[in-house]
Amino acid sequence: MVQSAVLGFPRIGAQRELKKVTEAYWSGKATVEELFKVGKELREKNWKLQKDAGVDIIPSNDFSFYDQVLDHSLLFNVIPERYSKYNLPAIDTLFAMGRGLQRPATESSPAVDVTALEMVKWFDSNYHYVRPTFSKNVEFKLNSTKPVDEFLEAKALGINTRPVLVGPVSYLYLGKADKDNLELEPITLLEKLLPVYAELLAKLKEAGAETVQIDEPILVLDLPVEVQSAYKVAYEYLVSEAAPKLFLTTYFGDVRPNIQSIKGLPVAGVHADFVRVPEQLDEIVAALSPSQILSVGIVNGRNIWKANFAKAIEFVSSAIAKVGAERVIVATSSSLLHTPVTLASEKKIPAEIKDWFSFATEKLAEVVTIAKAVTDGPESVAGEFAANAKSISARETSSITNDTAVRERVGKITEDQARRKSPFGVRLAAQKKALGIPLFPTTTIGSFPQTKDIRIFRNKFTKGEITAEEYEKFIEKEIETVVKFQEEVGLDVLVHGEPERNDMVQYFGEKLNGFVFTTNGWVQSYGSRYVRPPIIVGDVSRPGPMTVKESKFAQSITKKPMKGMLTGPVTCLRWSFPRDDISSKLQAQQLALALRDEVQDLEAAGVYVIQVDEPAIREGLPLRAGAERDDYVNWAVESFRLATSGVDDSTQIHSHFCYSDLDPNHIKALDADVVSIEFSKKDDPNYIQEFSEYPNHIGLGLFDIHSPRVPAKDEFVSRIADILKVYPQENLWVNPDCGLKTRGWTETRASLQNMVDAAKEFRAKYVATA
């Protein structure tokens, strides 16, 4: 019998229960007991859901109150001293590491003031993990038994699960040295860490765990020799009679360049992502021993399209022909964390289109059906097979997916359309004359706090409870408030605050042809930040202006430059669920043409600073160097330039990037006049150096907008002074890390005022010495 397996399930809850209770706990409206109670209820629901669907291998320890990698840092005592010194409860230490903490002293506790650890993208997904940070004196030990506790929790419900751990090699490689020990290579800590993993595995076996899913996703990256060789050391140490069987798990890419690291490991089996790279089957099979099991990741854990049963069954059957049915498991390609919880609650998607989709809950049935088909024959799932074939065929032949006019316009794109009229130096002179921007110009990244009133009015408008005119007047009032606030604080280049926008991608998708939207299709991005990715179902075009009205109004009520705010073509693509029937390049070109029209309309309306955000451009980069990566960089850069190059020299183009390991060469190739980059949690001085020769203007983000903490003016002064050691003052902008949508007004005012005051101090200093 071929078994079915799921690598992980969304932990957020079908109604975002985790977000609601977590944020209530942070604000003091829920107790820690209430927080833990909701967590337990969510775990139980997820386990029972998978069991009732017929899944054979169900994961545990895939739940987290913030981030699964951060959980491992707490578990293994990888807690920098700046957090541990406060002796906070474990859950509060977890949250402090994830989002920072600033709390005044009370009679019973001292003041706490600590920034968050660095947060970066999880490979090429839009999920963010908190990077493990290894201090000089790190002492690995088990701080808790969370994986064991959750295994026993499921066992008490009559559900035998497979605990999930991040493997030791990936955990170390994905981390970094703390600022007190920058010369440290974390992989050198492996021999110190392994005994703690072994201790945990022994406890899991004592609790009754038969196998453990041990995730080693870095096997799809280009790895140095010392990391490749670490696998043999790690798994020969961990595999023992005292431990459960270990199932080595990879996803998101091609393991073949690291196949020698897998070959010969004494693990029970190997999982690979055959949705992303089906071509790797033969080499993986050749690397397995005669007793090792192959887990075939064939149901897409990253997208929402139905699995094609005919193709999936054919592929799994080919694997069975190579190793035998007793050595094959049918599985999701990765954790289902990256997909919405269920399609059942979606009532507004047109029935024809909804039939093409499969969310996390529906994917459970897919793995079970495919496993049954290859075990008992396709005739055993004849009804499901026929329905699936009908859905796949309907999508392939639908008129919704193809727009001839869009395809023709893409076919007429020229190289000149992706080039500004003049080089940066000429443009800069024109912009200085037109905009009058001072030295050390201050700005924000776009959004301002989305208050309860904004959400209420938007909801009323969506439900038809207020008229479009009433909603427009409310939005204009909010814009006036934000503009007045920025003028009071003293910012130099303003934004309208985006009160009309629900999300930086969804908002644009709703105004473009080719998208559909969910009501409850939430996916975790980080911590309590969830997004509802739009779904691209057809060719994309712009029926009319999307942002011009609000930006034009905002510019009309101030004499300072106003930024028009857009989301770039690659980010719109990457932060949606993209089509899988045409190339990403073609989808990006379609989006770029739509945005090009919007940029030109903004300029025509008198908005002469336009920001086109591309935070996902690094996220889309293929995980390995080579022709595929080079091709991606070329079309991603060209898409941005196509969107932004149709303006005059005096119009200033900005872009923004955050929470990725950026390549300065890729940023340079965009040829934006000004770029702003998340920087506040970067504590490696070499990071500044990487951008020291960036030729255009740059703003390195000076405070973490994901934390409620308010930096003092002296912190801003210190940070700017450090940057100026390697970066010329005439090119430096002063700004936060990212948009302020999730922050409160009190902390926003305080942080921005301190930032502006620091910039003014440097402005006075450098003007006086000029």
Side-chain angles (χ1 to χ4, degrees):
M1 173 184 169
V2 175
Q3 290 187 303
S4 57
V6 170
L7 270 57
F9 197 80
R11 52 204 177 219
I12 63 177
Q15 302 300 322
R16 294 183 291 163
E17 294 93 330
L18 184 59
K19 174 186 178 69
K20 293 170 185 176
V21 73
T22 302
E23 293 183 348
Y25 176 70
W26 291 340
S27 64
K29 297 176 182 177
T31 65
V32 71
E33 291 78 15
E34 290 169 326
L35 177 71
F36 290 160
K37 179 175 181 289
V38 172
K40 185 175 182 179
E41 290 170 350
L42 288 171
R43 292 191 293 271
E44 181 175 337
K45 285 180 184 177
N46 288 349
W47 290 325
K48 287 183 175 179
L49 185 68
Q50 293 172 80
K51 182 179 181 181
D52 291 346
V55 176
D56 297 307
I57 301 171
I58 298 170
S60 61
N61 198 44
D62 56 338
F63 177 85
S64 174
F65 283 108
Y66 202 91
D67 164 53
Q68 70 269 15
V69 181
L70 182 59
D71 283 351
H72 284 66
S73 295
L74 192 70
L75 177 66
F76 296 133
N77 198 44
V78 184
I79 306 172
E81 192 270 339
R82 57 187 177 277
Y83 304 97
S84 61
K85 71 179 182 180
Y86 291 112
N87 295 313
L88 298 169
I91 188 66
D92 293 337
T93 299
L94 181 87
F95 290 143
M97 293 165 70
R99 64 192 297 266
L101 183 62
Q102 191 173 49
R103 191 173 68 191
T106 66
E107 291 183 3
S108 59
S109 61
V112 179
D113 188 2
V114 65
T115 59
L117 291 176
E118 184 182 7
M119 182 175 72
V120 289
K121 294 291 178 70
W122 183 243
F123 294 80
D124 59 354
S125 77
N126 189 32
Y127 179 77
H128 303 68
Y129 76 99
V130 179
R131 180 169 275 168
T133 303
F134 300 98
S135 300
K136 183 184 301 183
N137 300 317
V138 61
E139 293 183 12
F140 298 114
K141 65 178 181 179
L142 277 185
N143 270 338
S144 78
T145 53
K146 176 183 181 291
V148 180
D149 298 341
E150 293 183 10
F151 172 81
L152 291 172
E153 202 176 291
K155 189 176 181 181
L157 298 170
I159 302 172
N160 190 35
T161 60
R162 182 171 71 178
V164 181
L165 298 176
V166 177
V169 183
S170 288
Y171 176 72
L172 291 172
Y173 188 72
L174 293 171
K176 69 173 188 177
D178 205 354
K179 52 192 173 186
D180 67 352
N181 196 25
L182 290 174
E183 71 281 0
L184 173 72
E185 291 292 341
I187 197 65
T188 62
L189 299 171
L190 181 63
E191 291 188 8
K192 289 177 63 178
L193 178 59
L194 288 176
V196 187
Y197 264 89
E199 181 185 355
L200 176 60
L201 290 170
K203 289 181 181 296
L204 284 166
K205 184 166 185 178
E206 290 169 9
E210 297 173 3
T211 60
V212 168
Q213 174 184 316
I214 194 151
D215 288 2
E216 290 285 5
I218 67 164
L219 282 163
V220 302
L221 303 178
D222 293 319
L223 298 177
V225 173
E226 63 271 20
V227 177
Q228 291 178 327
S229 61
Y231 280 94
K232 185 174 188 295
V233 174
Y235 287 91
E236 287 187 352
Y237 185 97
L238 294 178
V239 175
S240 72
E241 292 295 323
K245 294 178 181 178
L246 302 185
F247 218 98
L248 189 75
T249 303
T250 72
Y251 35 79
F252 299 164
D254 191 347
V255 303
R256 288 176 293 180
N258 294 316
I259 199 73
Q260 292 304 315
S261 296
I262 297 173
K263 190 173 184 179
L265 295 183
V267 294
V270 173
H271 171 91
D273 185 342
F274 294 107
V275 172
R276 293 287 285 269
V277 190
E279 303 83 10
Q280 61 186 325
L281 177 61
D282 286 344
E283 288 187 49
I284 292 175
V285 166
L288 297 178
S289 72
S291 63
Q292 285 178 321
I293 294 170
L294 175 64
S295 175
V296 180
I298 199 63
V299 171
N300 197 335
R302 289 278 298 274
N303 212 329
I304 47 70
W305 304 104
K306 276 186 175 178
N308 184 320
F309 281 175
K311 291 183 178 179
I313 291 168
E314 180 182 10
F315 188 89
V316 177
S317 297
S318 72
I320 290 172
K322 297 176 189 297
V323 301
E326 70 284 356
R327 290 177 55 203
V328 169
I329 292 172
V330 172
T332 56
S333 63
S334 65
S335 170
L336 297 174
L337 170 74
H338 311 282
T339 58
V341 176
T342 179
L343 193 57
S345 60
E346 299 302 328
K347 309 299 183 185
K348 296 183 179 181
I349 301 173
E352 176 187 357
I353 296 174
K354 184 178 178 180
D355 185 55
W356 304 342
F357 300 155
S358 177
F359 291 178
T361 300
E362 291 71 37
K363 290 177 187 291
L364 303 178
E366 290 185 337
V367 291
V368 170
T369 299
I370 295 166
K372 183 174 177 59
V374 296
T375 298
D376 300 329
E379 63 278 3
S380 66
V381 292
E384 295 94 328
F385 191 91
N388 179 266
K390 184 178 179 181
S391 297
I392 300 299
S393 176
R395 182 184 170 211
E396 289 175 347
T397 57
S398 174
S399 60
I400 294 171
T401 60
N402 298 303
D403 185 323
T404 302
V406 173
R407 299 292 179 101
E408 288 178 352
R409 188 180 180 194
V410 170
K412 296 177 181 177
I413 292 172
T414 66
E415 288 187 9
D416 287 345
Q417 286 179 295
R419 301 291 180 272
R420 293 291 294 271
K421 296 174 183 177
S422 304
F424 173 68
V426 176
R427 302 197 307 263
L428 179 61
Q431 291 159 18
K432 284 182 175 180
K433 183 178 180 180
L435 300 173
I437 295 172
L439 192 64
F440 297 104
T442 56
T443 190
T444 64
I445 305 306
S447 61
F448 269 77
Q450 293 254 329
T451 62
K452 184 178 180 180
D453 282 349
I454 291 175
R455 293 192 293 271
I456 289 172
F457 266 81
R458 184 185 298 135
N459 194 39
K460 285 182 177 181
F461 178 61
T462 301
K463 292 180 177 180
E465 296 175 3
I466 59 174
T467 66
E469 183 180 0
E470 289 173 318
Y471 183 62
E472 184 175 331
K473 286 182 178 179
F474 171 77
I475 292 299
E476 287 184 349
K477 182 181 177 182
E478 289 294 318
I479 292 172
E480 287 176 343
T481 298
V482 170
V483 171
K484 181 180 179 182
F485 167 82
Q486 293 172 89
E487 289 180 328
E488 290 173 352
V489 169
L491 289 161
D492 300 304
V493 176
L494 312 188
V495 297
H496 78 282
E498 305 178 13
E500 78 285 6
R501 303 186 189 183
N502 43 20
D503 175 83
M504 65 182 289
V505 175
Q506 182 182 345
Y507 177 80
F508 290 96
E510 289 173 347
K511 294 180 177 294
L512 293 167
N513 296 325
F515 284 81
V516 297
F517 307 90
T518 64
T519 301
N520 208 34
W522 298 98
V523 177
Q524 186 179 26
S525 179
Y526 62 86
S528 68
R529 169 68 171 150
Y530 304 166
V531 295
R532 273 188 302 153
I535 303 170
I536 304 177
V537 297
D539 289 334
V540 175
S541 61
R542 187 192 78 141
M546 301 180 286
T547 68
V548 175
K549 180 173 63 177
E550 292 81 10
S551 294
K552 183 178 180 180
F553 172 75
Q555 184 63 84
S556 74
I557 59 175
T558 183
K559 294 181 179 180
K560 291 189 173 184
M562 177 65 60
K563 279 198 288 191
M565 302 299 303
L566 305 175
T567 303
V570 176
T571 298
C572 282
L573 174 66
R574 294 292 308 182
W575 289 2
S576 301
F577 288 117
R579 296 170 66 174
D580 61 355
D581 59 336
I582 64 172
S583 71
S584 294
K585 176 182 178 179
L586 178 55
Q587 292 175 81
Q589 288 175 319
Q590 293 175 1
L591 285 159
L593 288 171
L595 289 165
R596 181 183 181 88
D597 295 342
E598 186 72 11
V599 168
Q600 290 176 323
D601 281 351
L602 281 168
E603 183 184 51
V607 178
Y608 301 121
V609 182
I610 302 170
Q611 182 170 307
V612 182
D613 291 347
E614 279 291 24
I617 198 162
R618 173 63 177 80
E619 174 189 313
L621 192 71
L623 296 172
R624 282 208 158 90
E628 183 185 5
R629 179 179 287 187
D630 294 341
D631 181 59
Y632 167 81
V633 171
N634 288 336
W635 67 251
V637 166
E638 288 297 297
S639 295
F640 176 87
R641 293 176 67 146
L642 177 62
T644 58
S645 294
V647 295
D648 290 337
D649 289 348
S650 57
T651 294
Q652 191 171 73
I653 297 294
H654 289 228
S655 193
H656 171 66
F657 312 91
C658 56
Y659 306 103
S660 294
D661 293 322
L662 298 167
D663 185 331
N665 291 319
H666 299 164
I667 306 303
K668 180 180 177 181
L670 299 176
D671 196 29
D673 298 308
V674 183
V675 297
S676 55
I677 299 174
E678 168 263 329
F679 178 68
S680 71
K681 291 188 282 189
K682 304 287 187 184
D683 45 29
D684 183 352
N686 293 326
Y687 190 81
I688 306 176
Q689 193 67 46
E690 290 179 11
F691 288 91
S692 62
E693 297 182 7
Y694 182 73
N696 300 8
H697 284 197
I698 194 168
L700 296 173
L702 297 177
F703 70 93
D704 178 15
I705 60 82
H706 295 114
S707 172
R709 180 180 179 275
V710 176
K713 175 189 171 184
D714 289 348
E715 287 187 44
F716 286 110
V717 170
S718 176
R719 200 70 163 168
I720 294 170
D722 285 343
I723 295 170
L724 292 177
K725 292 175 183 176
V726 295
Y727 199 74
Q729 69 270 12
E730 63 271 15
N731 291 4
L732 182 64
W733 284 60
V734 177
N735 49 259
D737 267 348
C738 200
L740 297 160
K741 176 181 178 180
T742 61
R743 299 275 51 88
W745 271 108
T746 300
E747 67 214 44
T748 295
R749 175 179 287 276
S751 296
L752 287 178
Q753 190 66 69
N754 291 343
M755 183 189 82
V756 169
D757 289 347
K760 287 180 177 178
E761 181 175 315
F762 279 94
R763 188 178 301 159
K765 174 183 175 181
Y766 279 89
V767 169
T769 58

